[in-house]
Amino acid sequence: MTLDPTSVGATADPQSIRWDSKDCLLYALGVGAGTDELAFTTDNTRGLDQRMLPTQPVVLGLGATAGSLKLAGKIDWVRLVHAAQGVELLAPLPVEGEATVVSRIAELWDKGKAALITAESTATAPDGTDLFRTRMTVFIGGAGGFGGERGPSTEDDEPTGKPDETISYETRRDQALLYRLSGDRNPLHSDPAYAAKAGFDRPILHGLCTYGFAGRAVLHAAAGGDPDRVRSIDARFAKPVFPGDTLHVDLWNVDGGVRFRVRTGEETVVLNSGRATIAP
């Protein structure tokens, strides 16, 4: 496996994406939204216009973003782990639309025995309006030693003290089967035999599904349920989640938004370094 340190800035060919009302409904259900969030889970409720959850762009642009990782060189996909995810909302998002996605290698760090790659994608509407930007960071074991820079430390100060609010969600035993219908068909999240080969007793939940649950907590706790107020959501993946686990989203109010983390128990943090910026 050889990665090219000069690939930073390399840009993939533009890709076209489309989405509609059904895609938005299916994504919302996949990240646990239900009868108390009808603006996101129905398209014909009296007095409510359908809306898109602010984390859905990470799914809309996922194919283009993941594909652009190949610009960095030959990748062993079996050894790739999703390390961090971010989304920046640049304009109100329609529940039906199309866009052109341009993806590039934003960062490539040589960690010695492993590598970190960050791919950034920007989606632009046909009228030239930038709609959203996503950043996906992946950790690839065995891919280091290619002569690149080590990069900055990934240590981050976590919030201390009691959170200002904790929102708990119970995931379904079939949550991963529902979420995968939004586009991520990785058998690690559905096939028991495949999961066993990866060292798990049973299929694990998609990290981006957990990220979507956290995004719902941020939306309702910090933005009053209005997705147009959410400007960005970033987090790192710490440990796997299993379908059926209860997710506890701890939130701390800070200037301009919130910090957050997700736990499956008192000490088991599965998503950390969460940051969200919220418009007034």
Side-chain angles (χ1 to χ4, degrees), residues 54 89 215 217-233 251 253-260 275-280:
L89 292 312
V218 167
L219 171 68
H220 296 297
D226 181 359
D228 289 346
R229 291 182 57 199
V230 179
R231 292 291 182 262
S232 66
I233 303 177
L251 302 110
N253 298 322
V254 297
D255 289 343
V258 291
R259 299 289 306 276
F260 65 93
R275 298 176 181 270
T277 55
I278 308 294

Side-chain angles (χ1 to χ4, degrees), residues 29 45-46 67 86 97 139 142 178 180 191 196 201 203 214 216-217 234 241 269 273:
L29 294 173
T45 296
R46 182 177 299 178
F139 175 93
L178 182 57
R180 73 193 296 268
D191 181 356
D201 294 336
R216 286 175 50 227
D234 295 90
V241 173
V269 176
S273 302

